[in-house]
Structures are given as C-alpha cells and as structure tokens.
Amino acid sequence: MKAVVVGAGIAGLVAARQLGLAGWDVELLEKSPAPRPEGYMMDFFGPGVEAAERIGLYPRLAAVAYHVEAAEYVDATGHPTSSLDYDRFARLAGGKVLSLLRPDMERAALAALDDVPPGRVQVSYGASVSRVWSDEDGVRVTVGGPPDMTVAADVLVGADGIHSGVRAQVFGPEEEYLRPLGMRAAAFIVTEPLLNARFRNRFVLTDSINRMAGLYSLRSDEVATFMVYRDSTGSPGHQRSGSPRERLRREFAGLGHAIDRLLELCPEHPYDDVVAQIVMPGWQRGRTVLVGDACGAVSLLAGQGGSLAIAGAALLGDFLGPVASPGGISPALAEYERRWRPLVEEAQAAGRRTASSFLPANRAQRLLRRWIIRATHLPGIDRLVARQILGRIAK
Ligand SMILES: Cc1cc2nc3c(=O)[nH]c(=O)nc-3n(C[C@H](O)[C@H](O)[C@H](O)COP(=O)(O)OP(=O)(O)OC[C@H]3O[C@@H](n4cnc5c(N)ncnc54)[C@H](O)[C@@H]3O)c2cc1C
C-alpha cells in the first residue's frame, strides 16, 4: 500500500513515520526547500504527550525542550507587573509540559524517520503540490516542476497546514472553513547576546493593550520573538499588502527598549499570519484525509497545535496502518475522524476562550488579567484558570 503525504510539518512527518512503521510506502512532499526555521516556543502537553510516549517520540522531544520557570508580564521599562509560575501550570496540565521551539519539534519528528526501515519513506523538499485528484485506481497529485511530475498512491494525506491546498481542492475554498479570531501573529528569531543574557529561563510578555510582544532566550545567543496584534481583516499572510516587517515596526512601536531592539533586527519576511481556526464538517472524502492544522487548527494562541498534530497523526497511523487493501481505507479514515474530532473540538473551544481574553482591549481588562494571574496562586482558582486555558486536560 502506498500513501502520499503533502506537507512535512509536524503532522505530516509523524503521519509518514507511523505509516512507514506499519509497512506502507510513503512519499512525503514538502514545498519549502528545507525544514522551515521559523516559529516560536510551543507548550507541549495533553494528548500529544501521551501519543508521543506511545509511539516513542517523547525522548527526542524532551531532549530539545527548554526549562521555563515563569511567564512574566513586564511594563515598557522591563519591570514585572505579574507572573505565572510554570511548575504550577505543569502540575495542572497533568505534570508533563514541555516547552519546545516549533522548528526543534519539526526537526525531532524528521530525525524520528530514522526509526523506519530504509526506503519506506521518501521525503522530498522543494516539492510543491499544485493539483490533486482521484480516480477508480486511487489518488494522484501533481508536483510542480519544471517538469511537472505525477505521483499515484492508494491514499492522500493532506498535512499542509492552515492554508491547505489539498483541502481547497478536495473539500472547498478556504473561506468556507477558516475562522479568523480577530488577530495576527508573527514570529522570528534574532541573534542578540545582551537580551539573551538578560531574560533567561522565562517567557517575557509585554503587559500592553491590543498588542503583545513575547520573547524567550534560546540556548545560543538567539532570542525567539512572538508578536500578536488586533486585525479585523482576517487576511492570511500572503494576502496582506505591504512589508510584514514594516507593519510590525508600526504596530509595536513604543513598547520599550527590548522590543525596539528586536524590531530593529527583525528579518524582512518573518512568519506572519492570521490567527484562526479551521472548522470543517468532515475531514475525509473517499481516499483523501486531512490531519493537523489542515482540518483542525486550534490557533497559535491555544499553543497546542504541535501536541494535537502529533496525537492526530499517531491516531491516523493506528487506524490506517493495519489496512491491507484499498477497500479498507475509507472505513479506517472514518474511524480516525470519529475518534479524534471530539478532542479537537474541545481544544478549539478552549482556544476561542483564550483568544477572547488574550489581548486586553482597555485598562480595565488589563487590570483583570493581572488579577487573574495573581489569583492562580490561590488553590481552587488555579484549577479554574487552567481549565479555561487548557480545556479538558485539567478536568
Ligand atoms: C513557519 C511556521 C511557523 C509557525 N509558528 C508557530 C508558533 O510560533 N507557535 C505556534 O503555536 N504555532 C506555530 N505554527 C503552527 C504550528 O506549526 C502548527 O499548529 C502545528 O505544528 C501543526 O502543524 P501542521 O503540521 O499541521 O502544519 P504546519 O506546521 O503548517 O505544516 C504544514 C507544512 O505543509 C507545507 N505545505 C503547504 N502547502 C504545501 C504544498 N502545496 N505542497 C507541499 N507542502 C506544502 C508547509 O510548507 C508546511 O511545512 C507555525 C507554522 C509554520 C508553518
């Protein structure tokens, strides 16, 4: 049996590995020329932890995790206004929370393809899928050339992210499924030894209104930066006019020296996209199935994208892996969706709750956030807040 997986992000890599381990031949096609270096820190907890332990990926992730002691809100002079104890957060999330840089997570999933017998999974970078279709023999995809190339398979796994082209071609245009949450987010990594030394082992977040910048010191002299701001247009990254760097410099002026310095060093094309969820009535059609952000993006603010990508892809492997003939494919895909959808929907509901209070719109809301963060130190309130943030995990 052969699968073609479109997109070598976390979901695509894990799906390819699990199918390869189950004995499938897999062609994994990724449009970027190499693993993508962009992205910020992601909290890794909940279903992804269980799945990663079960499939043997956890040690690789734990090996590249960062130790975060606190999340600290600061004013424009860099003084803390409130802070959240990370160990406490970890206990409420079931004890296992890893803080991982998105590209490190992707690299760990790529390295884990070594567990698959040689030749089973072929990974092609610089392979952009431009067309997908199916016929009675299976599925076909065209990989943009020149010259164009057609790949045939028994099943097509669309793991091509929130702006999935597989979804657009098989299920309908993006506008039908993309639910913008009224914000944009950007992420980039810069080399800045002084800021790196100043802010070690903690997330630093600006305690600002209608916009928020966050930073975290990496192991080298680098600083990972994250910026979120209100945006009602809902346009995805590639559809916004103007330079994203100039937009960020405009939006984040006046937040203090550290942020000014990061904006000075910001690359010309940082990761910059709409904060949104994908909500669809069905994730599989015939022999095509979606996984990860392509079908169930929870939004960057929920922080669980990587965890859900791993858990969903592992589950897809559980159901599709044992299938030995084309007739078994559709029932296996339906079972994957039946089992996985409720958890994704719950995480999306938690993501929407987080989004609505993520950026205070005025001083009163900012005061309320400070109060809530301080209240997390009180027994009972901590569980309540964690439940708001984490969804079912803290139940
Ligand atoms: C550059 C980048 C930075 C991110 N930064 C953050 C962050 O800081 N915090 C956070 O919480 N989440 C971030 N995310 C989202 C996060 O990666 C996902 O929520 C999560 O990892 C699930 O990923 P996924 O594998 O489903 O999709 P993605 O990570 O989006 O991966 C999809 C992959 O498909 C590839 N692809 C798309 N179209 C095609 C095509 N036509 N042909 C071939 N390949 C294609 C893309 O290049 C990409 O590698 C980021 C995503 C990206 C792409």
Side-chain angles (χ1 to χ4, degrees):
M1 301 287 281
K2 179 170 177 184
V4 59
V5 179
V6 182
I10 295 161
L13 286 162
V14 173
R17 174 180 184 265
Q18 294 312 104
L19 290 174
L21 287 172
W24 283 62
D25 290 316
V26 183
E27 195 135 351
L28 177 54
L29 304 168
E30 166 57 49
K31 75 173 174 189
S32 65
R36 299 180 63 165
E38 301 106 331
Y40 190 60
M41 302 291 292
M42 292 163 84
D43 293 324
F44 184 67
F45 57 85
V49 171
E50 286 162 36
E53 284 178 328
R54 182 166 60 76
I55 66 175
L57 189 62
Y58 192 83
R60 291 182 189 269
L61 296 172
V64 292
Y66 282 86
H67 178 69
V68 180
E69 286 162 8
E72 199 169 82
Y73 284 90
V74 297
D75 63 19
T77 64
H79 285 104
T81 54
S82 56
S83 87
L84 194 68
D85 179 336
Y86 239 65
D87 284 341
R88 206 177 184 95
F89 175 70
R91 277 199 302 280
L92 293 166
K96 282 198 168 152
V97 179
L98 297 180
S99 295
L100 293 158
L101 193 63
R102 195 207 73 93
D104 285 349
M105 234 173 143
E106 193 176 294
R107 277 191 284 264
L110 178 63
L113 287 179
D114 291 348
D115 304 339
V116 180
R120 282 267 175 75
V121 178
Q122 301 284 351
V123 189
S124 304
Y125 283 95
S128 181
V129 171
S130 54
R131 189 176 160 230
V132 309
W133 73 102
S134 54
D135 56 29
E136 62 280 4
D137 294 328
V139 291
R140 305 265 185 282
V141 307
T142 302
V143 184
D148 281 359
M149 187 180 79
T150 299
V151 180
D154 297 295
V155 74
L156 166 62
V157 179
D160 47 349
I162 192 164
H163 303 299
S164 168
V166 173
R167 185 184 64 227
Q169 291 190 46
V170 178
F171 299 84
E174 180 165 302
E175 306 80 78
E176 284 182 29
Y177 308 118
L178 188 98
R179 305 272 180 277
L181 297 176
M183 287 168 262
R184 290 185 75 79
F188 56 92
I189 295 172
V190 299
T191 303
E192 221 304 351
L194 290 177
L195 286 181
N196 177 288
R198 185 171 155 205
F199 295 115
R200 285 213 155 231
N201 300 334
R202 60 199 201 272
F203 285 123
V204 177
L205 306 155
T206 60
D207 194 10
S208 38
I209 292 169
N210 281 328
R211 54 188 178 157
M212 188 175 83
L215 62 94
Y216 187 81
S217 296
L218 304 182
R219 282 180 199 97
S220 50
D221 281 344
E222 291 172 324
V223 178
T225 313
F226 181 62
M227 296 184 162
V228 188
Y229 57 106
R230 286 206 195 281
D231 174 73
S232 53
T233 63
S235 310
H238 51 282
Q239 287 175 11
R240 277 299 298 256
S241 57
S243 143
R245 179 170 63 186
E246 290 317 311
R247 196 181 324 128
L248 291 177
R249 286 180 177 167
R250 244 188 350 262
E251 294 282 347
F252 287 87
L255 285 182
H257 162 74
I259 306 305
D260 288 349
R261 177 70 182 137
L262 293 170
L263 287 168
E264 213 176 288
L265 299 172
C266 174
E268 194 179 348
H269 296 288
Y271 169 75
D272 172 70
D273 205 348
V274 58
V275 174
Q277 297 189 332
I278 294 295
V279 180
M280 303 177 70
W283 298 349
Q284 37 96 24
R285 188 164 288 175
R287 295 209 224 157
T288 299
V289 67
L290 302 176
V291 67
D293 278 7
C295 59
V298 287
S299 94
L300 259 80
L301 305 185
Q304 287 198 63
S307 168
L308 296 175
I310 289 177
L315 204 66
L316 179 64
D318 291 344
F319 288 110
L320 195 56
V323 171
S325 68
I329 291 174
S330 285
L333 301 183
E335 194 53 19
Y336 145 75
E337 179 174 347
R338 194 186 69 76
R339 285 281 297 279
W340 187 226
R341 177 182 277 283
L343 261 108
V344 170
E345 287 179 349
E346 193 153 357
Q348 288 186 322
R352 285 191 291 272
R353 284 197 294 272
T354 311
S356 65
S357 56
F358 195 78
L359 289 182
N362 51 47
R363 283 163 180 262
Q365 287 183 9
R366 182 169 62 180
L367 269 175
L368 182 67
R369 182 174 66 187
R370 287 181 193 161
W371 180 85
I372 290 172
I373 290 168
R374 285 181 199 135
T376 55
H377 298 275
L378 303 174
I381 303 287
D382 53 0
R383 288 198 73 78
L384 206 71
V385 172
R387 168 113 191 270
Q388 281 291 110
I389 299 172
L390 308 175
R392 75 156 37 202
I393 288 86
K395 267 184 194 163

